[in-house]
């Protein structure tokens, strides 16, 4: 189940890289719940970051800030690190986000995301 979900998650990344954000978000909506069921919190964080990157691409800056904040809190809680390509993509997305929103609004959105528990973050990223 984990390998299958990993393949599906990678397909989501490919779709997102191609700018097919609606399709990518639909894929992540499925994979994030499976990762959570499997206890793969690093993968949940990666999907939250992917949702945030989609929000940045769609100029949904408050949403992006909340999702980045939720992912950061989750990574901090479980000690997971980003791989170098993930870090580059994250840094680029965050730089774009900072160009879309003022620092005060970003700080508020980020704090709201950090305050979410795992289920709240998943439901926010991928409403049922």
């Amino acid at each position: 189940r984990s390998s299958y979900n990993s393949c599906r998650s990678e397909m989501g990344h490919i779709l997102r890289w191609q700018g097919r954000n609606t399709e990518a978000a639909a894929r992540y909506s499925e994979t994030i719940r499976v990762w959570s069921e499997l206890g793969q919190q690093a993968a949940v964080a990666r999907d939250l970051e992917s949702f945030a990157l989609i929000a940045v691409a769609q100029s949904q800056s408050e949403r992006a800030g909340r999702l980045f904040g939720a992912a950061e809190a989750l990574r901090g809680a479980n000690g997971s690190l980003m791989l170098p390509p993930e870090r580059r993509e994250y840094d680029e997305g965050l730089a774009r986000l900072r160009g879309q929103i003022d620092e005060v609004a970003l700080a508020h959105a980020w704090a709201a995301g950090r305050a979410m528990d795992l289920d709240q973050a998943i439901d926010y990223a991928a409403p049922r």
Side-chain angles (χ1 to χ4, degrees):
R1 189 166 180 216
S2 181
S3 295
Y4 177 71
N5 206 52
S6 183
C7 290
R8 294 173 52 79
S9 190
E10 288 301 316
M11 179 55 83
H13 301 326
I14 291 167
L15 291 167
R16 182 171 46 80
W17 296 331
Q18 293 175 340
R20 297 164 61 185
N21 292 321
T22 301
E23 293 168 86
R27 188 64 48 101
Y28 296 136
S29 292
E30 298 165 357
T31 60
I32 196 168
R33 285 181 168 45
V34 175
W35 289 133
S36 181
E37 290 169 14
L38 295 173
Q40 298 291 327
Q41 291 188 351
V44 171
R46 175 68 173 144
D47 278 1
L48 289 171
E49 292 155 358
S50 296
F51 275 113
L53 292 167
I54 289 171
V56 169
Q58 296 174 336
S59 297
Q60 298 172 347
S61 53
E62 182 179 331
R63 176 175 170 76
R66 285 177 182 248
L67 290 164
F68 276 135
E72 179 187 72
L74 182 57
R75 283 196 185 273
N78 68 38
S80 65
L81 301 174
M82 291 181 212
L83 298 172
E86 294 170 343
R87 172 54 70 183
R88 279 191 299 278
E89 188 175 36
Y90 176 93
D91 289 344
E92 290 168 6
L94 188 54
R96 274 188 73 194
L97 176 59
R98 286 198 164 110
Q100 296 174 357
I101 189 172
D102 68 77
E103 286 298 318
V104 172
L106 178 56
H108 281 69
W110 202 282
R114 287 190 55 81
M116 292 181 198
D117 66 27
L118 180 62
D119 291 333
Q120 289 171 326
I122 291 170
D123 287 342
Y124 182 74
R128 291 182 191 246

